[in-house]
Amino acid sequence: MQIQELGIAVLWTFLYGYLIVASIDFGAGFFAFYSKYTKRDHMINRLIARYLSPTWEVTNVFFVFFFVGIVGFFPDTAYYYGTALLVPASVVLILLAIRGSFYAFANYGSKESTLYMFLYGATGLLIPASMSTVLTVSQGGFINETESGVFFDGMKLFTNFYSWTVVFLAIVSVLYISAMFLLFYADKARDVQAVPLVRKWALFWSVPTIIASGLVFFGLKSQAAWHYESILAGNWWWFAASFIFFIVAVSFVYLKRNYGLAFLMVMGQFFMAWFGYGYTHLPYILYPYIDINGSVVNESMAVALVVVFILGLLLLVPALYLLLRLFLFDNDYVRGKRSSGKA
Amino acid sequence: MFQDPVLMSRALTALTLGFHVIFATIGVGVPLLILLAEFLGIKKKDPKYTLMARRWSRGYVVTVAVGVVTGTAIGLQLSLLWPNLMRVAGQTIALPLFMETFAFFFEAIFLGIYLYTWDRFKNPWHHMLVGIPVAVGALFSGFFITTVNSFMNQPVGFDIVDGQLANVSPLEAMFSPAMPTKMAHVLTSAILTSAFILAAIAAVQLLRQRRNQLDKLSIEYHKKGLRLTMTVALIFAIATALVGDFSGKYLAKYQPDKLAAAEWHFETSSEAELILGGWLEEDGEGGYEVRGALKIPYALSILAGGVPNYEVTGLDEFAKEDQPPLFIHYLFDAMVGIGMLLALISFLFVLGRYIKRLPQFSKPMLIAIAAGGPLAMMAIEFGWFFAEFGRQPWALYDLMRTSEAATTSANVGWMLIAFAILYAVLGVVTVLVLTRLFKDNPVGKELKQSEHRGEAMFADEV
C-alpha cells in the first residue's frame, strides 16, 4: 500500500468511527428531547445519561482528528475545501458549539431545562444534515476553479435533489443507528420499560433508512456518473453485503433476540456502505481537483505522520478500551447498581 | 471594510482565538491544581482538599466544554479563513497539529473517566492516577499547538526551490528557535493565571465573611485554598518572569522588528534604554517623538543581550511596509506590568505567613488577590495580541504576507457577525451557569454532606 492510500484509509476509518459514535450521540439528543416532550423521559433519559455523559467529549475528537489529519496528509484539501466551504462549514461549527456547550451546561451546571434539551435535540439532526452536504460536494459539480480563485455554487447545491436525498439519508440513519444502540443498551441494563419503546423506534427508523440508501445509490447515476461507473466496475458487492447486514440486523430486532449482535450488524452494514462508497470514490478527494496521487504531502512529513499515528494508536486503543469497560461493558454500572460517582 | 476578506478574516481569527484562549488557559493550568488538591486531600486525609478538587473539576468541565467547541472552531477556521497558509502548514507543520489532536483525545478520554469515577475505586490513589493523563494531555496539547505558532513566527525546516517548498524536515520545523521560550512562557503563564483565578474566587468568598455569610468550615476551606493556589502562583510567577526575560533575548536575535516596535526603539544603538508607558507624537518629519515615558537607561540592552552595551537593532533597519504596528508597545507594557504585579501579590501573601505585621487574610490583601484573577487573564490576552500583532505584516514571518494567506471568499464579514453573536451567548451563559452551579451548592453545605450529587439534565439517580 502506498503512503497516500494508507493516509486516506486511516482518515476514512476515523470518519467511520465518527459516523458511528456521533450518530449514537446525535440521535440520543433527539430521542431525549422527544421523550421529554411526550413525558416519557423518566423511562429513557436516565439510560442515555449513563453512557453519554462520560463520552460526549471523545465523540468530538474523532471529527477534529479527521479534519486535522486530512490537511496534514493532503494539504490541497485546505486550499479547495477551505476556500469553498466557508459558509456551510461555519454553520456546522456554530451548531457544534451550541450542542457541545449546552450539553455541558445542562448536564453539569444547571437545573433541567427544556430549552437546553431542545437545542441539544435539534442540533443533533441539523449537524449530520449539514455535514453530509460535503459528501455531495466531493463528487464534483459544485466547486469551480477559475483564474481568480476557487468558487462554490451554494445555490446549486441547495436546489439539487440528489443533495437532499443525502441529507435525508444522513438524518434517518442517525436515528436508526442511535435507536439500535439504545436498544442494545436498554436490554443490557435489563430495563423492561425502555426496551419495547426503543425496539419500536429501531424498527420504525429502519424503513426510511433503507429507502433513502436506495435513493442515494441510484441517484448517483445522474449526479456523478464517474462514481456510479466505478461502483458497477466490480465494486457493487460492498453494497450488497451492506444490505445483507441490514436484513440480519432488523430480523434480530423483529424476533426480539440478540440485540448486541444486531448492533454489530448495524456497524457492519454501515462499514460496508461507507468503505464501498469511499473506495469507489478514489482516487479523488474532490472530483476532479484533488486526486490522492497528486496531492499527498511531501514524503518526510507523510512518514512522520504515519509513525505518530501508530504511536498514538498504541496510547489510544487501551485508553478507549478502558473507557468502554468502565461505562459500557460494566454490567453493574449499566444497570445503575453502581453510583456514577460524579464530581 | 466589511467586504475585505483579509481584514474580516483577521478579525474573525482574533475573535475566536481571543475567546478560546480564556478557556484554553484554564484548560492547561487547572487540571494540575485539581490534581494537587486531590493529592493533598489523600495524603493529609483532609476532606477539605478533596472537596476542593471536586468543586474545581465540576466548574472545570463547563469551561472545558466551551474550550472544546471554540477549539474545534479555530481548528477548522484555520483552513476556512487561511487556505493558502494551511496548504504550506500542511506541508511543514502537520506533525504537531496531528500530535495535538492525540494529546486532546487522550485528555478527553481520561477526563470522562475522571469525572465519573470519584466513588468507583476502593483505593483513592487509583482515582488520582486517572487524573494524571488529564493534566499531562492538557500540558502536551498546549505544548504542541504552541510549536505550530512558533513555526509561524520562525519558519524553518525547509528549503524554497523555484518558489516551491522542498526538503521539508518535520522535526526541525517543529523545534524552531522560537519554540523553547514560547512554549515555556505559554505553559508557565497558564498555570500562573489558573492559580490566580481559583485564588480570586476564594478571596471573593472570604471578603463576604465580613457580612457573616460564611460559616467557620467554609472559611477554613477557602483559606486552605488560598494558601495552595497562591504558593503555586508565586512559583509560576517567578518562572514566567524568567522565561519572559529569555523571550526578550530570543526576540532581539530572531525577530528584532517585533522587539523594536514593542520598545519604540527607532534607531539601532547600544546602551539602549527601556521605555515604560508614554505615548507617541509625530515630529513632522515622518518620525515620532516619545512623550511622557519612564526611561530606564541600559535596561533594553540588558533585556535583549544581557549586557549594558549590547547593540539593539532599531526599526530603521526595516522597510516601512515590513514594520509591525507601533501600538504593540502598550500591549507589551500591560502584559509585563500585570505580570510583575501578580508576582508581588503572591510574594507578599506567602511572606505573610512568616511576618505577623503582614496578615495573609487582611482586606487589602484579599482585594488584591480578587483583582489578580481577571488581571491575569487580561495579561494573557495582551500577551497574545502583542505576539500576534507583533509579527504583522507576516502570516509566516518573512515568508508569506497575511494578505496572501487569507481566503478570497466574500462572506467572511457575515461569518464574523454570526460568530460574535455565538461567543457573546456562550460567554454570558457560561458565567451564569458557573455562578449558579456554585451558589446552589455552598461549600458549607457540601462539607457537611458526605457525598453530593449535582442536578443533571438527565437525572442520574431517581
Side-chain angles (χ1 to χ4, degrees):
Chain A
M1 200 188 263
Q2 284 183 304
I3 205 121
Q4 62 269 34
E5 289 164 358
L6 185 67
I8 198 71
V10 162
L11 294 169
W12 203 242
T13 309
F14 263 84
L15 212 51
Y16 169 73
Y18 186 64
L19 179 122
I20 297 294
V21 292
S23 293
I24 293 174
D25 179 20
F26 290 150
F30 173 80
F31 289 131
F33 174 70
Y34 176 72
S35 29
K36 194 178 166 75
Y37 186 73
T38 54
K39 305 244 186 306
R40 277 183 292 193
D41 45 329
H42 56 283
M43 290 164 69
I44 299 298
N45 293 3
R46 215 174 70 202
L47 209 64
I48 293 177
R50 302 221 135 244
Y51 68 83
L52 219 53
S53 302
T55 52
W56 64 272
E57 213 193 339
V58 178
T59 309
N60 192 55
V61 194
F62 276 91
F63 177 54
V64 176
F65 194 101
F66 173 76
F67 71 68
V68 168
I70 197 162
V71 172
F73 272 105
F74 306 101
D76 281 355
T77 54
Y79 178 69
Y80 285 96
Y81 281 115
T83 309
L85 297 181
L86 176 72
V87 178
S90 294
V91 171
V92 171
L93 282 177
I94 291 172
L95 291 171
L96 276 175
I98 294 173
R99 181 182 175 80
S101 34
F102 279 82
Y103 178 78
F105 294 158
N107 217 20
Y108 299 100
S110 159
K111 295 225 167 18
E112 281 195 40
S113 151
T114 312
L115 172 70
Y116 288 1
M117 287 284 273
F118 171 73
L119 287 173
Y120 184 65
T123 50
L125 297 186
L126 290 173
I127 294 168
S130 33
M131 278 181 172
S132 65
T133 56
V134 179
L135 292 177
T136 313
V137 169
S138 77
Q139 288 166 328
F142 302 100
I143 290 180
N144 291 309
E145 189 176 28
T146 64
E147 271 178 26
S148 51
V150 174
F151 293 96
F152 171 60
D153 194 342
M155 211 50 219
K156 192 173 164 195
L157 181 71
F158 196 75
T159 53
N160 181 287
F161 177 72
Y162 174 77
S163 136
W164 285 103
T165 59
V166 176
V167 168
F168 180 60
L169 175 62
I171 294 175
V172 291
S173 27
V174 158
L175 294 168
Y176 167 66
I177 294 174
S178 185
M180 288 297 252
F181 178 81
L182 213 56
L183 176 59
F184 153 68
Y185 204 75
D187 182 53
K188 202 174 159 62
R190 296 200 185 141
D191 191 332
V192 285
Q193 275 189 306
V195 168
L197 181 64
V198 288
R199 181 175 166 270
K200 239 187 292 170
W201 290 349
L203 288 175
F204 179 82
W205 290 108
S206 69
V207 180
T209 301
I210 205 67
I211 294 175
S213 306
L215 269 178
V216 168
F217 186 87
F218 293 107
L220 202 58
K221 193 175 178 183
S222 52
Q223 177 62 31
W226 66 274
H227 195 169
Y228 191 71
E229 277 155 25
S230 162
I231 292 173
L232 288 192
N235 291 311
W236 54 270
W237 58 271
W238 291 93
F239 302 93
S242 171
F243 184 68
I244 293 170
F245 275 116
F246 168 79
I247 295 294
V248 177
V250 175
S251 307
F252 277 144
V253 175
Y254 187 75
L255 299 170
K256 298 188 186 174
R257 51 186 289 197
N258 299 349
Y259 293 140
L261 202 57
F263 186 70
L264 277 181
M265 293 293 138
V266 172
M267 285 178 69
Q269 175 197 341
F270 281 89
F271 184 91
M272 295 313 282
W274 185 248
F275 279 85
Y277 172 90
Y279 182 74
T280 49
H281 200 293
L282 290 182
Y284 296 108
I285 299 180
L286 170 62
Y287 183 83
Y289 298 110
I290 311 175
D291 172 334
I292 59 164
N293 299 310
S295 56
V296 72
V297 73
N298 60 76
E299 180 80 16
S300 52
M301 180 56 82
V303 172
L305 288 177
V306 169
V307 170
V308 164
F309 177 73
I310 292 166
L311 292 177
L313 273 193
L314 291 179
L315 278 176
L316 269 188
V317 171
L320 273 173
Y321 174 73
L322 182 67
L323 188 75
L324 292 178
R325 238 197 71 163
L326 286 170
F327 300 106
L328 274 189
F329 300 129
D330 182 321
N331 285 328
D332 282 350
Y333 176 82
V334 175
R335 285 174 202 157
K337 283 183 192 156
R338 215 191 271 269
S339 123
S340 74
K342 202 161 88 170
Chain B
M1 202 171 88
F2 192 72
Q3 297 297 329
D4 177 7
V6 178
L7 194 67
M8 289 294 117
S9 293
R10 289 181 65 189
L12 180 48
T13 309
L15 179 72
T16 302
L17 278 172
F19 190 65
H20 176 64
V21 79
I22 299 173
F23 301 92
T25 302
I26 294 172
V28 169
V30 169
L32 209 65
L33 286 143
I34 294 175
L35 262 191
L36 205 58
E38 193 181 5
F39 173 80
L40 290 173
I42 304 175
K43 186 93 190 158
K44 297 186 169 181
K45 296 199 169 53
D46 185 341
K48 289 202 185 63
Y49 283 113
T50 312
L51 180 66
M52 209 179 284
R54 280 187 167 215
R55 286 177 68 91
W56 284 349
S57 41
R58 220 180 285 153
Y60 177 67
V61 204
V62 173
T63 62
V64 164
V66 185
V68 166
V69 298
T70 51
T72 308
I74 190 64
L76 204 51
Q77 275 177 355
L78 280 177
S79 295
L80 298 175
L81 301 175
W82 311 98
N84 286 312
L85 174 71
M86 286 312 276
R87 212 181 198 179
V88 175
Q91 296 288 349
T92 46
I93 39 162
L95 186 65
L97 274 171
F98 202 54
M99 286 161 108
E100 202 264 348
T101 57
F102 270 113
F104 176 38
F105 220 136
F106 205 56
E107 188 193 341
I109 290 174
F110 281 94
L111 184 64
I113 298 177
Y114 185 80
L115 288 171
Y116 283 87
T117 52
W118 277 92
D119 306 311
R120 198 129 169 215
F121 303 111
K122 287 198 183 80
N123 185 342
W125 290 110
H126 289 173
H127 183 259
M128 207 200 105
L129 282 182
V130 174
I132 293 175
V134 179
V136 171
L139 288 172
F140 269 94
S141 59
F143 168 75
F144 289 130
I145 210 65
T146 311
T147 63
V148 175
N149 183 266
S150 307
F151 174 85
M152 298 189 203
N153 278 282
Q154 200 61 45
V156 290
F158 56 88
D159 298 323
I160 295 180
V161 182
D162 303 328
Q164 297 286 323
L165 293 173
N167 309 324
V168 176
S169 155
L171 283 178
E172 206 185 315
M174 203 175 141
F175 293 93
S176 70
M179 196 280 287
T181 45
K182 214 167 187 103
M183 179 270 297
H185 200 60
V186 165
L187 296 187
T188 51
S189 62
I191 300 169
L192 166 66
T193 304
S194 303
F196 248 100
I197 285 173
L198 295 173
I201 297 169
V204 169
Q205 296 300 320
L206 283 175
L207 282 167
R208 291 195 180 156
Q209 170 195 345
R210 289 159 193 279
R211 282 180 272 145
N212 273 337
Q213 283 177 329
L214 280 186
D215 53 69
K216 212 174 141 231
L217 274 177
S218 314
I219 293 172
E220 261 175 62
Y221 168 91
H222 288 304
K223 284 186 172 175
K224 278 202 163 111
L226 267 185
R227 286 208 189 93
L228 169 61
T229 48
M230 291 309 279
T231 311
V232 172
L234 176 61
I235 296 168
F236 282 91
I238 296 169
T240 308
L242 264 177
V243 178
D245 181 62
F246 293 142
S247 306
K249 293 181 174 47
Y250 156 79
L251 283 183
K253 196 165 169 201
Y254 292 96
Q255 263 178 304
D257 48 340
K258 192 191 258 187
L259 186 69
E263 279 307 322
W264 290 343
H265 189 63
F266 295 106
E267 279 155 36
T268 301
S269 67
S270 55
E271 300 173 12
E273 53 192 16
L274 189 72
I275 296 173
L276 290 181
W279 65 91
L280 285 179
E281 264 171 34
E282 287 180 40
D283 63 3
E285 292 158 30
Y288 293 99
E289 194 77 46
V290 181
R291 300 253 181 237
L294 179 66
K295 297 176 182 174
I296 309 173
Y298 307 114
L300 183 58
S301 282
I302 295 173
L303 176 76
V307 286
N309 60 357
Y310 184 84
E311 190 179 81
V312 184
T313 314
L315 273 181
D316 55 346
E317 298 197 12
F318 299 90
K320 200 91 188 161
E321 68 269 19
D322 291 344
Q323 291 177 7
L326 289 172
F327 70 82
I328 62 171
H329 172 75
Y330 304 112
L331 297 168
F332 183 76
D333 274 12
M335 170 187 78
V336 175
I338 293 174
M340 293 295 164
L341 186 67
L342 296 179
L344 182 71
I345 296 172
S346 49
F347 176 69
L348 289 177
F349 180 89
V350 173
L351 200 66
R353 211 186 161 113
Y354 308 101
I355 298 178
K356 273 226 167 83
R357 292 179 56 188
L358 190 73
Q360 279 186 306
F361 303 103
S362 67
K363 200 174 172 188
M365 181 64 88
L366 291 176
I367 290 175
I369 295 172
L375 277 175
M377 196 51 91
M378 281 162 71
I380 295 276
E381 296 280 357
F382 292 144
W384 273 114
F385 274 92
F386 160 65
E388 296 304 285
F389 275 110
R391 72 179 151 98
Q392 291 310 317
W394 305 104
L396 289 173
Y397 184 69
D398 228 5
L399 191 72
M400 179 187 276
R401 281 178 191 275
T402 310
S403 52
E404 300 163 343
T407 180
T408 45
S409 173
N411 297 316
V412 191
W414 293 108
M415 296 303 113
L416 175 66
I417 295 173
F419 277 97
I421 297 170
L422 173 73
Y423 298 145
V425 172
L426 284 188
V428 171
V429 181
T430 306
V431 173
L432 287 178
V433 163
L434 281 176
T435 338
R436 190 154 85 185
L437 177 65
F438 290 103
K439 268 218 173 114
D440 289 352
N441 298 304
V443 179
K445 198 176 105 197
E446 274 204 76
L447 277 171
K448 282 179 205 128
Q449 293 167 344
S450 60
E451 213 209 337
H452 170 83
R453 281 181 232 293
E455 293 284 344
M457 172 155 79
F458 311 110
D460 188 56
E461 310 290 329
V462 187

